[in-house]
PDB file of all heavy atoms in Angstrom:
ATOM      1  N   LEU A  52     168.193 128.674  56.721  1.00  0.00           N
ATOM      2  CA  LEU A  52     168.841 129.254  57.891  1.00  0.00           C
ATOM      3  C   LEU A  52     169.137 130.738  57.766  1.00  0.00           C
ATOM      4  O   LEU A  52     169.384 131.398  58.769  1.00  0.00           O
ATOM      5  CB  LEU A  52     170.142 128.506  58.189  1.00  0.00           C
ATOM      6  CG  LEU A  52     170.015 127.016  58.508  1.00  0.00           C
ATOM      7  CD1 LEU A  52     171.331 126.501  59.048  1.00  0.00           C
ATOM      8  CD2 LEU A  52     168.923 126.754  59.524  1.00  0.00           C
ATOM      9  N   GLY A  53     169.128 131.239  56.577  1.00  0.00           N
ATOM     10  CA  GLY A  53     169.405 132.657  56.430  1.00  0.00           C
ATOM     11  C   GLY A  53     170.804 133.030  56.861  1.00  0.00           C
ATOM     12  O   GLY A  53     171.019 134.071  57.479  1.00  0.00           O
ATOM     13  N   LEU A  54     171.779 132.182  56.588  1.00  0.00           N
ATOM     14  CA  LEU A  54     173.163 132.431  57.014  1.00  0.00           C
ATOM     15  C   LEU A  54     174.042 132.840  55.833  1.00  0.00           C
ATOM     16  O   LEU A  54     175.199 132.446  55.743  1.00  0.00           O
ATOM     17  CB  LEU A  54     173.732 131.183  57.693  1.00  0.00           C
ATOM     18  CG  LEU A  54     173.072 130.788  59.011  1.00  0.00           C
ATOM     19  CD1 LEU A  54     173.652 129.484  59.528  1.00  0.00           C
ATOM     20  CD2 LEU A  54     173.238 131.883  60.056  1.00  0.00           C
ATOM     21  N   ARG A  55     173.494 133.604  54.942  1.00  0.00           N
ATOM     22  CA  ARG A  55     174.250 133.995  53.750  1.00  0.00           C
ATOM     23  C   ARG A  55     175.546 134.721  54.116  1.00  0.00           C
ATOM     24  O   ARG A  55     176.610 134.438  53.554  1.00  0.00           O
ATOM     25  CB  ARG A  55     173.396 134.900  52.863  1.00  0.00           C
ATOM     26  CG  ARG A  55     172.334 134.183  52.067  1.00  0.00           C
ATOM     27  CD  ARG A  55     171.783 135.112  50.988  1.00  0.00           C
ATOM     28  NE  ARG A  55     170.767 134.454  50.183  1.00  0.00           N
ATOM     29  CZ  ARG A  55     169.490 134.393  50.520  1.00  0.00           C
ATOM     30  NH1 ARG A  55     169.088 134.946  51.639  1.00  0.00           N
ATOM     31  NH2 ARG A  55     168.612 133.782  49.739  1.00  0.00           N
ATOM     32  N   GLU A  56     175.461 135.660  55.049  1.00  0.00           N
ATOM     33  CA  GLU A  56     176.648 136.448  55.400  1.00  0.00           C
ATOM     34  C   GLU A  56     177.727 135.566  56.015  1.00  0.00           C
ATOM     35  O   GLU A  56     178.920 135.718  55.710  1.00  0.00           O
ATOM     36  CB  GLU A  56     176.265 137.567  56.373  1.00  0.00           C
ATOM     37  CG  GLU A  56     175.405 138.653  55.754  1.00  0.00           C
ATOM     38  CD  GLU A  56     175.127 139.779  56.723  1.00  0.00           C
ATOM     39  OE1 GLU A  56     175.708 139.782  57.818  1.00  0.00           O
ATOM     40  OE2 GLU A  56     174.316 140.660  56.381  1.00  0.00           O
ATOM     41  N   GLU A  57     177.308 134.638  56.880  1.00  0.00           N
ATOM     42  CA  GLU A  57     178.282 133.767  57.545  1.00  0.00           C
ATOM     43  C   GLU A  57     178.958 132.842  56.526  1.00  0.00           C
ATOM     44  O   GLU A  57     180.180 132.656  56.553  1.00  0.00           O
ATOM     45  CB  GLU A  57     177.584 132.940  58.632  1.00  0.00           C
ATOM     46  CG  GLU A  57     177.171 133.734  59.868  1.00  0.00           C
ATOM     47  CD  GLU A  57     175.925 134.574  59.664  1.00  0.00           C
ATOM     48  OE1 GLU A  57     175.269 134.403  58.616  1.00  0.00           O
ATOM     49  OE2 GLU A  57     175.608 135.397  60.539  1.00  0.00           O
ATOM     50  N   ILE A  58     178.154 132.267  55.636  1.00  0.00           N
ATOM     51  CA  ILE A  58     178.725 131.381  54.616  1.00  0.00           C
ATOM     52  C   ILE A  58     179.618 132.162  53.659  1.00  0.00           C
ATOM     53  O   ILE A  58     180.698 131.700  53.271  1.00  0.00           O
ATOM     54  CB  ILE A  58     177.597 130.649  53.866  1.00  0.00           C
ATOM     55  CG1 ILE A  58     176.908 129.654  54.811  1.00  0.00           C
ATOM     56  CG2 ILE A  58     178.127 129.924  52.628  1.00  0.00           C
ATOM     57  CD1 ILE A  58     175.707 128.956  54.208  1.00  0.00           C
ATOM     58  N   ALA A  59     179.196 133.361  53.307  1.00  0.00           N
ATOM     59  CA  ALA A  59     180.013 134.190  52.413  1.00  0.00           C
ATOM     60  C   ALA A  59     181.356 134.523  53.065  1.00  0.00           C
ATOM     61  O   ALA A  59     182.412 134.522  52.387  1.00  0.00           O
ATOM     62  CB  ALA A  59     179.258 135.476  52.076  1.00  0.00           C
ATOM     63  N   LYS A  60     181.353 134.783  54.366  1.00  0.00           N
ATOM     64  CA  LYS A  60     182.611 135.096  55.061  1.00  0.00           C
ATOM     65  C   LYS A  60     183.543 133.894  55.076  1.00  0.00           C
ATOM     66  O   LYS A  60     184.756 134.024  54.879  1.00  0.00           O
ATOM     67  CB  LYS A  60     182.301 135.548  56.492  1.00  0.00           C
ATOM     68  CG  LYS A  60     183.516 136.066  57.251  1.00  0.00           C
ATOM     69  CD  LYS A  60     183.107 136.646  58.597  1.00  0.00           C
ATOM     70  CE  LYS A  60     184.321 137.218  59.336  1.00  0.00           C
ATOM     71  NZ  LYS A  60     183.921 137.795  60.644  1.00  0.00           N
ATOM     72  N   ILE A  61     182.970 132.710  55.312  1.00  0.00           N
ATOM     73  CA  ILE A  61     183.788 131.488  55.308  1.00  0.00           C
ATOM     74  C   ILE A  61     184.351 131.238  53.912  1.00  0.00           C
ATOM     75  O   ILE A  61     185.543 130.937  53.751  1.00  0.00           O
ATOM     76  CB  ILE A  61     182.949 130.286  55.783  1.00  0.00           C
ATOM     77  CG1 ILE A  61     182.585 130.459  57.264  1.00  0.00           C
ATOM     78  CG2 ILE A  61     183.709 128.977  55.578  1.00  0.00           C
ATOM     79  CD1 ILE A  61     181.578 129.449  57.775  1.00  0.00           C
ATOM     80  N   GLN A  62     183.517 131.381  52.902  1.00  0.00           N
ATOM     81  CA  GLN A  62     183.974 131.137  51.533  1.00  0.00           C
ATOM     82  C   GLN A  62     185.027 132.151  51.106  1.00  0.00           C
ATOM     83  O   GLN A  62     185.981 131.815  50.391  1.00  0.00           O
ATOM     84  CB  GLN A  62     182.781 131.168  50.568  1.00  0.00           C
ATOM     85  CG  GLN A  62     181.885 129.944  50.668  1.00  0.00           C
ATOM     86  CD  GLN A  62     182.643 128.657  50.411  1.00  0.00           C
ATOM     87  OE1 GLN A  62     182.898 127.887  51.348  1.00  0.00           O
ATOM     88  NE2 GLN A  62     183.072 128.432  49.171  1.00  0.00           N
ATOM     89  N   SER A  63     184.875 133.374  51.552  1.00  0.00           N
ATOM     90  CA  SER A  63     185.865 134.402  51.240  1.00  0.00           C
ATOM     91  C   SER A  63     187.215 134.069  51.883  1.00  0.00           C
ATOM     92  O   SER A  63     188.277 134.241  51.273  1.00  0.00           O
ATOM     93  CB  SER A  63     185.365 135.762  51.732  1.00  0.00           C
ATOM     94  OG  SER A  63     186.355 136.752  51.564  1.00  0.00           O
ATOM     95  N   THR A  64     187.150 133.546  53.113  1.00  0.00           N
ATOM     96  CA  THR A  64     188.392 133.169  53.808  1.00  0.00           C
ATOM     97  C   THR A  64     189.069 131.992  53.111  1.00  0.00           C
ATOM     98  O   THR A  64     190.301 131.946  53.002  1.00  0.00           O
ATOM     99  CB  THR A  64     188.072 132.807  55.275  1.00  0.00           C
ATOM    100  OG1 THR A  64     187.391 133.907  55.885  1.00  0.00           O
ATOM    101  CG2 THR A  64     189.344 132.521  56.048  1.00  0.00           C
TER     102      THR A  64
END
Side-chain angles (χ1 to χ4, degrees):
L52 299 191
L54 294 176
R55 284 194 179 85
E56 291 184 7
E57 288 77 10
I58 292 175
K60 187 173 182 179
I61 293 171
Q62 287 302 107
S63 174
T64 305

